[in-house]
Amino acid sequence: GCDAVLIGCGMGRSEESDALTRRLIDMDKPLVLDADGINAFETHIPEIKRRQGKVTVMTPHEGELFRAGGDLSRGRESARAYAARWGVYLILKGHRTIVAAPDGRLAVNTTGNSGMAKGGSGDILSGMVVSLLGQGMEPFDACCAAVYCHGRAGDMAAAELGERGMSPADLLSRLPYAFKETEQG
């Protein structure tokens, strides 16, 4: 009864939640894995290959990517190799967030700021991605649009409140303005 699925935000870790997450791997719907959704695969990452040909988006920060078998020894652009190897769309969060597609496409985001490095900001980004996928947007475009608008909303919040003073709720309240600005080009 859904068009896309997101799992991991605020979920916590247990044997049961990890097993549930890994069972979702066989769904035909687009699947977004964030936080503990990614961590559920840290010792089972080859299972991701079962999603070949299906839309899978992972939204890790560097620590989560490392736990999921990512090798950042050659820098953040190694996200491209990870996406290709496992057949996923990878959003590597952080300064200049990277979006990597399984076909080798790579985009580096120019919006966002350090005030967004707070618990809950990534949950908003993952929610944006699953929403755009659920609306039928092409996966790489959905990832890039979500990352850009998320960062732009963060920049709007920081301009008004300062990076230290802003919260994820402040970012969330600016999303409609970021989308409107982007749509008007």
Side-chain angles (χ1 to χ4, degrees):
C2 63
D3 296 312
V5 174
L6 163 63
I7 192 160
C9 301
M11 182 172 70
R13 295 288 305 277
S14 70
E15 287 183 33
E16 294 82 16
S17 64
D18 285 1
L20 168 66
T21 302
R22 290 193 305 274
R23 278 195 307 272
L24 293 176
I25 214 74
D26 295 317
M27 294 184 351
D28 286 330
K29 306 290 183 182
L31 176 63
V32 179
L33 297 169
D34 183 45
D36 286 330
I38 296 167
N39 293 333
F41 287 95
E42 70 181 297
T43 58
H44 301 273
I45 198 64
E47 291 181 32
I48 292 287
K49 282 278 197 185
R50 293 190 351 229
R51 289 208 44 92
Q52 289 288 344
K54 300 174 188 171
V55 175
T56 307
V57 178
M58 296 174 71
T59 62
H61 55 62
E62 289 180 1
E64 291 164 336
L65 183 61
F66 178 76
R67 285 191 295 278
D71 176 11
L72 295 169
S73 64
R74 293 186 314 255
R76 291 173 51 81
E77 289 197 20
S78 62
R80 182 191 320 253
Y82 188 93
R85 178 178 182 191
W86 299 112
V88 300
Y89 293 86
L90 185 72
I91 298 174
L92 182 56
K93 299 180 290 194
H95 179 67
R96 300 292 182 236
T97 293
I98 292 176
V99 178
D103 63 9
R105 288 178 288 171
L106 186 84
V108 180
N109 188 48
T110 58
T111 62
N113 59 76
S114 63
M116 299 168 65
K118 296 179 178 132
S121 291
D123 296 348
I124 295 169
L125 174 61
S126 295
M128 294 170 67
V129 173
V130 76
S131 173
L132 293 172
L133 290 172
Q135 294 174 54
M137 188 177 268
E138 189 274 330
F140 187 73
D141 292 344
C143 293
C144 290
V147 166
Y148 179 85
C149 288
H150 181 258
R152 183 66 189 115
D155 288 342
M156 290 174 175
E160 185 177 335
L161 303 166
E163 291 180 14
R164 288 192 180 151
M166 64 183 273
S167 71
D170 299 318
L171 183 158
L172 184 61
S173 71
R174 274 117 182 126
L175 279 179
Y177 304 103
F179 275 111
K180 181 179 178 184
E181 180 182 283
T182 302
E183 289 169 354
Q184 291 177 342

